[in-house]
Structure formats: structure tokens, C-alpha cells
Amino acid sequence: MPTALLVLALSAFAIGTTEFVIMGLLPEVAADLGVTIPGAGWLVTGYALGVAIGAPFMAMATARLPRRGALLVLMGVFIVGNLLCAIAANYDLLMLARVVTALCHGAFFGIGSVVAASLVPANRKASAVALMFTGLTLANVLGVPLGTALGQVAGWRSTFWAVTLIGVVALIGLWRVLPRQHDEEATDIRAEFAALGGAGLWLALSTTVLFSAAVFCIFTYVAPLLGEVTGVSPRGVTWSLLLIGLGLTLGNVIGGRLADWKLAQTLMGVFVALAVASSALAWTSAALIPTEITLFLWATAAFAAVPALQVNVVNFGSAAPNLVSTLNIGAFNVGNALGAWVGGLVISQGYGLTTVPLAAAVLAILALIATLLTFSNRNPELQAALD
């Protein structure tokens, strides 16, 4: 694999860390800025909305730039956003800084995945995308715990200073190792928008939303499920999250290789596995060992879909790879919000935490149906996908 893929993975690590580490630092942020925990929680929502809304706009804003130049600009925005987080004097400024940081997220992953796929032969594209997204999974395994620990010891601002430094290193790496692709075609804005008209593309994006909703329906409430149902201690929850992170990383690698082999079958198989693992969690959550095994298998199945989903939308929107790939990152974040809402709705209606995994299983089945519909609308270039 080219060195450029490792630098893209480092960039993904930095972006993933800054997105999720705030959840571990909410008490410190709330106490320092004089807001409630729920109020501080809006910093998570604000970031997600910034990704979902800002992604297509940033993709269009950088459309005239070569992809290498676009990634450098977006990483620069990321650095500025994290620097503003580190020096934010009050809650409003911190929220603004989070939104600024989020603006680069979707476009970077969208354009970055196109660049990653272009660095390798056609039969290795999904694996290349998976390697880039490994940085995102490692952010959950290493970046978030270490960033949380640093913020608890040295203050929450120190975490954002550290992420800013990682961003600078990633920017230098991108500038040094990303190839200048002189044969890259200039972006046609009208062609980019015209590529959004196909039913297959919107079905593919809907599949991403439903997949992400199925995952975050459980992920959002996994800590209270472990604490209140399984009886895991707060320290044990941390180890459980580490185990989940390892499963996500393994699934990302496996999913990339499977998607290079058979894209459609990979998506269908993953959604079936996700539905089964989610349903099983409703029954195994009463005992520690079965719960941990189920969560590891669930996490492995979950991230096995990510490279395939990213390649899937680019296949359907090949005339506008930057835009559709970026829209897919926005779709992931829409699914995050949808899954958290569905899980919260189940709990608020009095069905209990053990019903949340069953709701996630239903969402995974809907993602499977969307996949079937997607490939029934495939274009001639995708005819071989199910062969």
C-alpha cells in the first residue's frame, strides 16, 4: 500500500478523535464553561449537523481544486477549527469552533476515499478505502480514551491542542506524499449535480443512513445497557468500549477485502449478520461473557460494511465521485442521529434498554431491503456486481 494511504489514515485518526473525544470530556467542558451536561451534549449534535449540512457545500466549494489541493485546504480548516476549540472563551465560541471543524469532516473523508481508491489497482479499491477508515476506527480504540485521559489530567483544552498538533503533522504529510495527478479531469459542476438524479444513488445513500442508524441505535446506549442490564462497572464499560473498538477495526479490514471480491454480497451478508448480532444482544445482555462476545461480533459486522458502502455510492455516482462520496459521509451522520433518536424513543416509551437492540435489528433489515432495491436499479456498469 502507498505511503499516502498511511497519511490519509493519520488524517482520519485526527478527525475521528476530535469528533468523538468530546463525549468523554463533557463533564469537564460543562464544569469549565458553566453549562449543564445536556447543554454540553449539544456540542456532539452541533458537530454531527455541521458534517451533514456542510459536507456537500464544502465539496462544491473545493470542486475546482485538484483533489490533493482540496485535501490540503480541508486539513487546514480542521487545524483552525481545533485551534479555536482550544482557545474558546465560552460555550458559544466553542460551539462555533466545533461547527467550523465539522465542515471539513465530510468533504475530507469523501474526497480522501476517492484519492485512496485512485492510488491502487481496481481490485484493491475497497481495501484502500478500508485502510484510510482504519484511522477512524483507531480513533475510537486509542484516540478517544487517550484524549479523554489527557483532558481529565491537564484540562479539556489540552486535548484539542494535541489534536491540532496531529493535524499539523497530517497536513505536512499530505503535502509531502500525496501525488500530483496531472491527468485528473477538471470538475464539471453541472455534471456533478446531474449525477445526483439516479434512483440507484439515492437508494445507496438510503442504505448508508439505515446502516448507520442500526449501528448507533445500539452504540449510543451501549454504556447504560452494560451498566444497568449487564451490571458492568464504569471501569468495565471502558474495557468493553475498547473491545468494541477492536471489533470495529477488524471488521473494517475484513469488509474491505470482501468488498473487493463481491460488493453486493458483502453488503447483504453484513446486514444479515448485523441483524442477528443485534437481536442476540437483547438476550445475551443479562450475562457478562455472552454480552462481550456478542458486542465484539456486532462491532466486527458493523464496520465491515463501511468500505463497501463508500465504494457503492461512488459506483452509482461515478460522474461526480467527490460530491457523492462526500454526501455518503453526510448520510452516515444522518444515520447516527436517526439511530440515537430511535433508541431514545424506544426507551422513553417504556420498552426498556433490552428492546433497543431489537429496534437496531429492524433497522439492519431495512438496510438489507434497501440494498436489494439498490442493486435491482443498478446501471450496466454494475451488472457484474451480483455475478
Side-chain angles (χ1 to χ4, degrees):
M1 287 289 182
T3 305
L5 287 178
L6 298 178
V7 178
L8 287 170
L10 175 63
S11 304
F13 175 82
I15 295 173
T17 298
T18 205
E19 177 182 14
F20 296 116
V21 76
I22 192 69
M23 291 183 280
L25 296 173
L26 286 185
E28 287 74 20
V29 172
D32 184 47
L33 299 182
V35 297
T36 64
I37 292 292
W42 280 100
L43 295 168
V44 178
T45 305
Y47 189 98
L49 291 176
V51 174
I53 297 172
F57 290 101
M58 291 300 290
M60 298 310 298
T62 58
R64 294 294 185 184
L65 295 175
R67 292 188 182 117
R68 178 180 181 273
L71 290 177
L72 292 174
V73 169
L74 291 167
M75 184 51 62
V77 173
F78 173 81
I79 293 169
V80 171
N82 278 279
L83 181 61
L84 291 175
C85 287
I87 63 175
N90 55 53
Y91 176 84
D92 292 337
L93 290 177
L94 180 58
M95 176 64 82
L96 176 62
R98 290 284 290 171
V99 172
V100 169
T101 308
L103 291 176
C104 77
H105 182 123
F108 190 94
F109 276 107
I111 298 172
S113 62
V114 174
V115 171
S118 72
L119 296 172
V120 297
N123 64 338
R124 297 285 291 165
K125 290 184 181 297
S127 294
V129 174
L131 179 56
M132 176 183 170
F133 276 85
T134 297
L136 187 60
T137 61
L138 288 177
N140 285 285
V141 177
L142 298 175
V144 172
L146 292 176
T148 300
L150 175 63
Q152 291 170 342
V153 172
W156 64 268
R157 297 176 190 276
S158 63
T159 300
F160 289 101
W161 282 112
V163 175
T164 301
L165 179 60
I166 297 173
V168 171
V169 173
L171 177 65
I172 295 172
L174 292 170
W175 175 65
R176 291 290 302 273
V177 305
L178 278 186
R180 298 177 184 271
Q181 296 177 313
H182 298 290
D183 59 344
E184 184 178 311
E185 294 183 5
T187 300
D188 185 333
I189 302 297
R190 287 177 294 182
E192 293 267 314
F193 279 106
L196 303 182
L201 172 62
W202 290 102
L203 283 168
L205 290 170
S206 299
T207 303
T208 298
V209 171
L210 291 168
F211 156 78
S212 189
V215 172
F216 272 79
C217 187
I218 290 178
F219 208 0
T220 304
Y221 302 100
V222 69
L225 179 70
L226 287 168
E228 298 178 26
V229 178
T230 313
V232 177
S233 67
R235 185 174 182 180
V237 169
T238 301
W239 286 106
S240 296
L241 292 175
L242 176 61
L243 182 66
I244 290 172
L246 293 174
L248 296 175
T249 304
L250 177 63
N252 188 56
V253 175
I254 293 174
R257 295 188 177 185
L258 288 176
D260 280 329
W261 175 55
K262 291 288 186 180
L263 179 62
Q265 286 87 337
T266 296
L267 287 172
M268 294 174 192
V270 165
F271 294 146
V272 170
L274 194 60
V276 171
S278 299
S279 299
L281 186 60
W283 307 105
T284 62
S285 57
L288 177 61
I289 300 301
T291 298
E292 299 293 354
I293 293 173
T294 305
L295 282 174
F296 179 79
L297 295 175
W298 167 82
T300 302
F303 250 65
V306 172
L309 288 167
Q310 195 70 9
V311 171
N312 190 34
V313 296
V314 173
N315 283 345
F316 277 98
S318 57
N322 288 8
L323 182 57
V324 299
S325 188
T326 299
L327 285 174
N328 199 45
I329 302 300
F332 277 114
N333 282 269
V334 171
N336 294 356
L338 175 62
W341 177 78
V342 169
L345 182 64
V346 168
I347 296 170
S348 65
Q349 293 298 313
Y351 293 107
L353 285 164
T354 55
T355 309
V356 171
L358 297 178
V362 172
L363 290 167
I365 292 171
L366 292 176
L368 173 62
I369 294 172
T371 301
L372 293 170
L373 292 173
T374 297
F375 282 90
S376 70
N377 284 274
R378 63 191 184 278
N379 55 39
E381 288 77 13
L382 296 174
Q383 192 68 42
L386 289 172
D387 296 340

Coordinates of all heavy atoms in Angstrom, one line a residue, residues 156-228:
W156 N -9.5 20.0 29.5 CA -10.0 19.6 28.3 C -9.4 20.3 27.1 O -9.3 19.8 26.0 CB -11.6 19.8 28.3 CG -12.0 21.2 28.4 CD1 -12.3 21.8 29.5 CD2 -12.3 22.1 27.3 NE1 -12.8 23.1 29.3 CE2 -12.7 23.3 27.9 CE3 -12.2 22.0 25.9 CZ2 -13.0 24.4 27.1 CZ3 -12.5 23.2 25.2 CH2 -12.9 24.3 25.8
R157 N -8.9 21.5 27.3 CA -8.3 22.3 26.2 C -7.0 21.6 25.7 O -6.7 21.7 24.5 CB -8.0 23.7 26.6 CG -9.3 24.5 27.0 CD -8.9 25.9 27.5 NE -10.1 26.6 28.1 CZ -10.9 27.2 27.3 NH1 -10.8 27.4 26.0 NH2 -12.0 27.8 27.9
S158 N -6.3 20.9 26.6 CA -5.1 20.2 26.2 C -5.3 19.2 25.1 O -4.5 18.9 24.3 CB -4.4 19.6 27.4 OG -5.2 18.6 28.0
T159 N -6.5 18.5 25.2 CA -6.8 17.5 24.2 C -6.9 18.2 22.8 O -6.4 17.6 21.8 CB -8.1 16.8 24.5 OG1 -8.0 16.2 25.8 CG2 -8.5 15.8 23.5
F160 N -7.5 19.3 22.7 CA -7.7 20.0 21.4 C -6.4 20.5 20.9 O -6.1 20.6 19.7 CB -8.8 21.1 21.5 CG -10.2 20.5 21.6 CD1 -10.8 20.4 22.8 CD2 -10.8 20.0 20.5 CE1 -12.1 19.9 22.9 CE2 -12.1 19.4 20.5 CZ -12.7 19.4 21.8
W161 N -5.5 20.9 21.8 CA -4.1 21.3 21.4 C -3.4 20.1 20.8 O -2.7 20.3 19.8 CB -3.3 21.9 22.6 CG -3.7 23.3 23.0 CD1 -4.3 23.7 24.2 CD2 -3.4 24.5 22.2 NE1 -4.4 25.1 24.2 CE2 -3.9 25.6 23.0 CE3 -2.8 24.7 21.0 CZ2 -3.8 26.9 22.5 CZ3 -2.7 26.0 20.5 CH2 -3.2 27.1 21.3
A162 N -3.6 19.0 21.5 CA -2.9 17.8 21.0 C -3.4 17.4 19.6 O -2.7 17.0 18.7 CB -3.1 16.6 22.0
V163 N -4.8 17.4 19.4 CA -5.3 17.1 18.1 C -4.9 18.1 17.0 O -4.7 17.7 15.9 CB -6.9 17.0 18.2 CG1 -7.5 16.8 16.8 CG2 -7.3 15.9 19.1
T164 N -4.8 19.4 17.4 CA -4.3 20.4 16.5 C -2.9 20.0 16.0 O -2.6 20.1 14.8 CB -4.2 21.8 17.2 OG1 -5.6 22.1 17.6 CG2 -3.7 22.8 16.2
L165 N -2.0 19.6 16.9 CA -0.7 19.2 16.6 C -0.7 18.0 15.6 O 0.1 17.9 14.6 CB 0.1 18.8 17.8 CG 1.6 18.3 17.6 CD1 2.4 19.4 16.9 CD2 2.2 17.9 19.0
I166 N -1.5 17.0 15.9 CA -1.7 15.8 15.0 C -2.1 16.3 13.6 O -1.6 15.8 12.6 CB -2.6 14.8 15.6 CG1 -2.1 14.2 16.9 CG2 -2.9 13.7 14.5 CD1 -3.1 13.3 17.6
G167 N -3.0 17.3 13.6 CA -3.5 17.8 12.3 C -2.4 18.5 11.5 O -2.3 18.3 10.3
V168 N -1.5 19.2 12.2 CA -0.3 19.8 11.5 C 0.6 18.8 10.9 O 1.0 18.9 9.8 CB 0.4 20.7 12.5 CG1 1.7 21.2 11.9 CG2 -0.4 21.9 13.0
V169 N 0.8 17.7 11.7 CA 1.7 16.6 11.2 C 1.0 16.0 10.0 O 1.7 15.7 9.0 CB 1.9 15.5 12.3 CG1 2.6 14.3 11.7 CG2 2.7 16.1 13.4
A170 N -0.3 15.8 10.0 CA -1.0 15.2 8.9 C -1.0 16.1 7.7 O -0.8 15.6 6.5 CB -2.5 14.9 9.3
L171 N -1.1 17.4 7.9 CA -1.0 18.4 6.8 C 0.3 18.3 6.1 O 0.4 18.3 4.9 CB -1.3 19.8 7.3 CG -1.2 20.9 6.3 CD1 -2.3 20.8 5.2 CD2 -1.3 22.3 7.0
I172 N 1.4 18.3 6.9 CA 2.7 18.2 6.3 C 2.9 16.9 5.5 O 3.4 16.9 4.4 CB 3.8 18.3 7.4 CG1 3.8 19.7 8.1 CG2 5.2 18.0 6.8 CD1 4.6 19.8 9.3
G173 N 2.3 15.8 6.1 CA 2.4 14.5 5.4 C 1.7 14.5 4.1 O 2.2 14.0 3.1
L174 N 0.5 15.1 4.1 CA -0.3 15.2 2.9 C 0.4 16.0 1.8 O 0.4 15.6 0.6 CB -1.7 15.8 3.2 CG -2.7 15.0 4.0 CD1 -3.9 15.9 4.4 CD2 -3.1 13.8 3.3
W175 N 1.0 17.1 2.2 CA 1.7 17.9 1.3 C 2.9 17.2 0.7 O 3.3 17.3 -0.5 CB 2.2 19.2 2.0 CG 3.0 20.1 1.2 CD1 2.7 20.8 0.0 CD2 4.4 20.4 1.4 NE1 3.7 21.5 -0.5 CE2 4.8 21.3 0.3 CE3 5.3 20.1 2.4 CZ2 6.1 21.8 0.3 CZ3 6.6 20.6 2.3 CH2 7.0 21.4 1.2
R176 N 3.6 16.4 1.5 CA 4.8 15.7 1.1 C 4.6 14.5 0.2 O 5.3 14.2 -0.7 CB 5.7 15.3 2.3 CG 6.3 16.5 3.1 CD 7.4 17.2 2.3 NE 8.4 16.3 1.9 CZ 9.5 16.0 2.7 NH1 9.6 16.6 3.9 NH2 10.4 15.2 2.3
V177 N 3.5 13.7 0.5 CA 3.4 12.4 -0.1 C 2.3 12.2 -1.1 O 2.3 11.3 -1.9 CB 3.3 11.3 1.0 CG1 4.5 11.3 1.9 CG2 2.0 11.3 1.7
L178 N 1.2 13.1 -1.0 CA 0.1 12.9 -2.0 C 0.6 13.2 -3.4 O 1.2 14.3 -3.6 CB -1.0 13.8 -1.6 CG -2.0 13.4 -0.5 CD1 -3.2 14.3 -0.4 CD2 -2.5 12.0 -0.8
P179 N 0.4 12.3 -4.3 CA 0.9 12.6 -5.7 C 0.1 13.7 -6.4 O -1.1 13.9 -6.1 CB 0.6 11.2 -6.4 CG -0.5 10.6 -5.6 CD -0.3 11.0 -4.2
R180 N 0.8 14.4 -7.2 CA 0.1 15.4 -8.1 C -0.4 14.7 -9.3 O 0.4 14.2 -10.1 CB 1.1 16.5 -8.5 CG 1.6 17.3 -7.3 CD 2.7 18.3 -7.7 NE 3.3 19.0 -6.6 CZ 2.8 20.1 -6.1 NH1 1.7 20.7 -6.6 NH2 3.4 20.7 -5.1
Q181 N -1.7 14.6 -9.4 CA -2.3 13.8 -10.6 C -2.6 14.8 -11.7 O -3.7 15.4 -11.8 CB -3.5 13.1 -10.1 CG -3.2 12.0 -9.0 CD -4.5 11.3 -8.5 OE1 -5.4 11.9 -8.2 NE2 -4.4 10.0 -8.5
H182 N -1.6 14.9 -12.6 CA -1.7 15.9 -13.7 C -2.8 15.5 -14.7 O -3.3 16.4 -15.4 CB -0.4 16.1 -14.4 CG 0.7 16.6 -13.4 ND1 0.7 17.9 -13.0 CD2 1.8 16.0 -12.9 CE1 1.7 18.1 -12.2 NE2 2.4 16.9 -12.1
D183 N -3.2 14.2 -14.7 CA -4.2 13.8 -15.7 C -5.6 13.8 -15.1 O -6.5 13.4 -15.7 CB -3.9 12.4 -16.2 CG -3.8 11.4 -15.0 OD1 -3.7 11.8 -13.9 OD2 -3.9 10.2 -15.3
E184 N -5.7 14.4 -13.9 CA -7.0 14.5 -13.2 C -7.9 15.4 -14.0 O -7.6 16.5 -14.4 CB -6.8 15.0 -11.8 CG -8.1 15.0 -11.0 CD -7.8 15.5 -9.6 OE1 -6.9 14.9 -8.9 OE2 -8.5 16.4 -9.1
E185 N -9.1 14.9 -14.3 CA -10.1 15.7 -15.1 C -10.7 16.9 -14.2 O -10.9 16.7 -13.0 CB -11.2 14.9 -15.6 CG -10.8 13.8 -16.6 CD -12.0 13.0 -17.1 OE1 -13.1 13.4 -16.7 OE2 -11.8 12.1 -17.9
A186 N -10.9 18.0 -14.8 CA -11.5 19.1 -14.1 C -12.9 18.8 -13.8 O -13.6 18.2 -14.5 CB -11.4 20.4 -14.9
T187 N -13.3 19.3 -12.6 CA -14.7 19.0 -12.2 C -15.7 19.9 -12.9 O -15.6 21.1 -13.0 CB -14.8 19.3 -10.7 OG1 -13.9 18.5 -10.0 CG2 -16.2 19.0 -10.2
D188 N -16.7 19.2 -13.5 CA -17.8 19.9 -14.1 C -19.0 20.0 -13.2 O -19.6 19.0 -12.8 CB -18.2 19.1 -15.4 CG -19.3 19.8 -16.2 OD1 -20.0 20.6 -15.6 OD2 -19.4 19.5 -17.4
I189 N -19.3 21.2 -12.7 CA -20.3 21.4 -11.7 C -21.6 20.9 -12.1 O -22.4 20.2 -11.4 CB -20.4 22.9 -11.3 CG1 -19.1 23.4 -10.8 CG2 -21.5 23.1 -10.3 CD1 -18.6 22.8 -9.6
R190 N -22.0 21.1 -13.4 CA -23.3 20.6 -13.9 C -23.3 19.1 -13.9 O -24.4 18.5 -13.6 CB -23.6 21.2 -15.3 CG -23.9 22.7 -15.3 CD -24.1 23.3 -16.7 NE -22.8 23.2 -17.4 CZ -22.7 23.7 -18.6 NH1 -23.7 24.2 -19.3 NH2 -21.5 23.7 -19.2
A191 N -22.2 18.5 -14.3 CA -22.2 17.0 -14.3 C -22.3 16.5 -12.9 O -22.9 15.4 -12.7 CB -20.9 16.6 -15.0
E192 N -21.7 17.2 -11.9 CA -21.8 16.8 -10.5 C -23.2 16.7 -10.1 O -23.7 15.7 -9.5 CB -21.0 17.7 -9.6 CG -19.5 17.7 -9.8 CD -18.8 16.7 -8.9 OE1 -19.1 16.7 -7.7 OE2 -17.9 16.0 -9.4
F193 N -24.0 17.7 -10.4 CA -25.4 17.8 -10.0 C -26.2 16.8 -10.8 O -27.1 16.2 -10.3 CB -26.0 19.2 -10.1 CG -25.6 20.1 -9.0 CD1 -24.7 21.1 -9.1 CD2 -26.2 19.9 -7.7 CE1 -24.4 21.9 -8.0 CE2 -25.9 20.7 -6.6 CZ -25.0 21.7 -6.8
A194 N -25.9 16.6 -12.1 CA -26.6 15.7 -12.9 C -26.5 14.3 -12.4 O -27.4 13.5 -12.6 CB -26.1 15.8 -14.4
A195 N -25.3 14.0 -11.8 CA -25.1 12.6 -11.3 C -25.9 12.3 -10.1 O -26.0 11.1 -9.7 CB -23.6 12.5 -10.9
L196 N -26.6 13.3 -9.5 CA -27.4 13.0 -8.4 C -28.8 12.6 -8.7 O -29.7 12.4 -7.8 CB -27.5 14.3 -7.5 CG -26.2 14.9 -7.0 CD1 -26.4 16.1 -6.1 CD2 -25.4 13.8 -6.3
G197 N -29.1 12.4 -10.0 CA -30.5 12.2 -10.4 C -30.9 10.7 -10.4 O -32.1 10.4 -10.5
G198 N -30.0 9.8 -10.3 CA -30.3 8.4 -10.5 C -30.9 7.8 -9.2 O -30.5 8.1 -8.1
A199 N -31.9 6.9 -9.4 CA -32.6 6.3 -8.3 C -31.6 5.4 -7.5 O -31.7 5.3 -6.3 CB -33.8 5.5 -8.7
G200 N -30.7 4.7 -8.2 CA -29.8 3.8 -7.6 C -28.9 4.5 -6.6 O -28.6 4.0 -5.5
L201 N -28.5 5.8 -6.9 CA -27.6 6.5 -6.0 C -28.4 6.9 -4.7 O -27.8 6.7 -3.6 CB -27.2 7.8 -6.7 CG -26.4 8.8 -5.8 CD1 -25.2 8.2 -5.2 CD2 -26.1 10.1 -6.5
W202 N -29.6 7.3 -4.8 CA -30.4 7.7 -3.6 C -30.7 6.4 -2.8 O -30.8 6.5 -1.6 CB -31.6 8.5 -4.0 CG -31.2 9.8 -4.5 CD1 -31.1 10.2 -5.8 CD2 -30.7 10.9 -3.7 NE1 -30.6 11.5 -5.9 CE2 -30.4 12.0 -4.6 CE3 -30.5 11.1 -2.3 CZ2 -29.9 13.2 -4.2 CZ3 -30.0 12.3 -1.9 CH2 -29.7 13.4 -2.8
L203 N -30.9 5.3 -3.4 CA -31.1 4.1 -2.7 C -29.8 3.7 -2.0 O -29.9 3.2 -0.8 CB -31.5 3.0 -3.6 CG -33.0 3.0 -4.1 CD1 -33.2 2.0 -5.2 CD2 -33.9 2.7 -2.9
A204 N -28.7 3.9 -2.6 CA -27.4 3.6 -2.0 C -27.2 4.5 -0.8 O -26.7 4.0 0.3 CB -26.3 3.8 -3.0
L205 N -27.5 5.8 -0.9 CA -27.4 6.7 0.2 C -28.3 6.3 1.3 O -28.0 6.4 2.5 CB -27.6 8.1 -0.2 CG -26.5 8.8 -1.1 CD1 -27.0 10.1 -1.7 CD2 -25.2 9.0 -0.4
S206 N -29.5 5.9 1.0 CA -30.5 5.5 2.0 C -30.0 4.2 2.7 O -30.2 4.1 3.9 CB -31.9 5.2 1.3 OG -32.4 6.3 0.7
T207 N -29.3 3.4 2.0 CA -28.7 2.2 2.7 C -27.7 2.6 3.7 O -27.7 2.1 4.8 CB -28.1 1.3 1.6 OG1 -29.0 0.9 0.6 CG2 -27.5 0.0 2.2
T208 N -26.9 3.6 3.4 CA -25.9 4.1 4.3 C -26.6 4.7 5.6 O -26.2 4.4 6.7 CB -25.1 5.2 3.7 OG1 -24.3 4.6 2.6 CG2 -24.1 5.8 4.7
V209 N -27.7 5.5 5.4 CA -28.4 6.0 6.5 C -29.0 5.0 7.4 O -28.8 5.0 8.7 CB -29.6 6.9 6.0 CG1 -30.5 7.4 7.2 CG2 -29.0 8.2 5.3
L210 N -29.6 3.9 6.8 CA -30.2 2.9 7.6 C -29.2 2.0 8.3 O -29.3 1.6 9.5 CB -31.1 2.0 6.7 CG -32.4 2.7 6.2 CD1 -33.0 1.8 5.1 CD2 -33.3 2.9 7.3
F211 N -28.0 1.8 7.6 CA -26.9 1.0 8.3 C -26.4 1.8 9.5 O -26.3 1.2 10.6 CB -25.8 0.8 7.3 CG -24.5 0.6 8.0 CD1 -24.1 -0.6 8.6 CD2 -23.6 1.7 8.1 CE1 -22.9 -0.8 9.2 CE2 -22.3 1.5 8.7 CZ -22.0 0.3 9.3
S212 N -26.1 3.1 9.3 CA -25.6 3.9 10.4 C -26.6 4.0 11.6 O -26.2 4.0 12.7 CB -25.2 5.3 9.9 OG -24.5 6.0 10.9
A213 N -27.9 4.1 11.2 CA -28.9 4.1 12.3 C -29.0 2.8 13.1 O -29.1 2.8 14.3 CB -30.3 4.4 11.6
A214 N -28.8 1.7 12.4 CA -28.8 0.4 13.1 C -27.6 0.3 14.0 O -27.7 -0.2 15.1 CB -28.7 -0.7 12.0
V215 N -26.5 0.8 13.6 CA -25.3 0.8 14.5 C -25.4 1.7 15.7 O -25.2 1.3 16.8 CB -24.0 1.1 13.7 CG1 -22.8 1.3 14.6 CG2 -23.8 0.1 12.6
F216 N -25.8 3.0 15.4 CA -25.8 4.0 16.5 C -27.1 3.8 17.4 O -27.1 4.4 18.5 CB -25.7 5.4 15.9 CG -24.3 5.8 15.8 CD1 -23.5 5.3 14.7 CD2 -23.6 6.6 16.8 CE1 -22.2 5.7 14.6 CE2 -22.3 6.9 16.6 CZ -21.6 6.5 15.6
C217 N -28.1 3.1 17.0 CA -29.2 2.8 17.9 C -28.7 2.1 19.1 O -29.1 2.3 20.2 CB -30.2 1.9 17.1 SG -31.7 1.6 18.0
I218 N -27.7 1.2 18.9 CA -27.1 0.4 20.0 C -25.9 1.2 20.6 O -25.8 1.4 21.8 CB -26.6 -0.9 19.5 CG1 -27.8 -1.8 19.2 CG2 -25.7 -1.6 20.6 CD1 -27.4 -3.2 18.7
F219 N -25.0 1.7 19.7 CA -23.8 2.4 20.2 C -24.1 3.5 21.1 O -23.4 3.7 22.1 CB -23.0 2.9 19.0 CG -21.5 2.9 19.2 CD1 -20.9 2.5 20.4 CD2 -20.6 3.3 18.2 CE1 -19.6 2.5 20.7 CE2 -19.3 3.4 18.4 CZ -18.7 3.0 19.6
T220 N -25.1 4.3 20.9 CA -25.4 5.5 21.7 C -25.8 5.0 23.1 O -25.5 5.8 24.1 CB -26.6 6.3 21.1 OG1 -26.3 6.6 19.7 CG2 -26.9 7.5 21.9
Y221 N -26.4 3.9 23.3 CA -26.9 3.5 24.6 C -26.2 2.2 25.1 O -26.7 1.6 26.0 CB -28.4 3.2 24.5 CG -29.2 4.4 24.0 CD1 -29.6 4.5 22.7 CD2 -29.4 5.5 24.9 CE1 -30.2 5.7 22.2 CE2 -30.1 6.6 24.4 CZ -30.5 6.7 23.1 OH -31.1 7.9 22.7
V222 N -25.0 1.9 24.6 CA -24.3 0.7 25.0 C -23.8 0.9 26.4 O -23.8 -0.1 27.2 CB -23.1 0.4 24.0 CG1 -22.0 1.4 24.1 CG2 -22.6 -1.0 24.3
A223 N -23.4 2.1 26.8 CA -22.9 2.3 28.2 C -24.0 2.0 29.2 O -23.8 1.3 30.2 CB -22.3 3.7 28.4
P224 N -25.2 2.6 29.1 CA -26.3 2.3 30.1 C -26.7 0.9 30.0 O -27.1 0.3 31.0 CB -27.4 3.3 29.7 CG -27.1 3.8 28.4 CD -25.6 3.8 28.3
L225 N -26.7 0.3 28.8 CA -27.1 -1.1 28.7 C -26.1 -2.0 29.5 O -26.5 -2.9 30.2 CB -27.0 -1.6 27.2 CG -27.4 -3.0 26.9 CD1 -28.9 -3.3 27.2 CD2 -27.0 -3.4 25.5
L226 N -24.8 -1.7 29.3 CA -23.8 -2.5 30.1 C -23.9 -2.3 31.6 O -23.8 -3.2 32.4 CB -22.4 -2.1 29.6 CG -22.0 -2.6 28.2 CD1 -20.7 -2.0 27.7 CD2 -21.8 -4.2 28.2
G227 N -24.2 -1.0 32.0 CA -24.2 -0.7 33.4 C -25.4 -1.2 34.1 O -25.4 -1.8 35.2
E228 N -26.6 -0.9 33.5 CA -27.9 -1.2 34.1 C -28.4 -2.6 33.9 O -29.1 -3.2 34.8 CB -28.9 -0.2 33.7 CG -28.6 1.3 34.0 CD -29.6 2.2 33.5 OE1 -30.8 1.8 33.4 OE2 -29.2 3.4 33.3

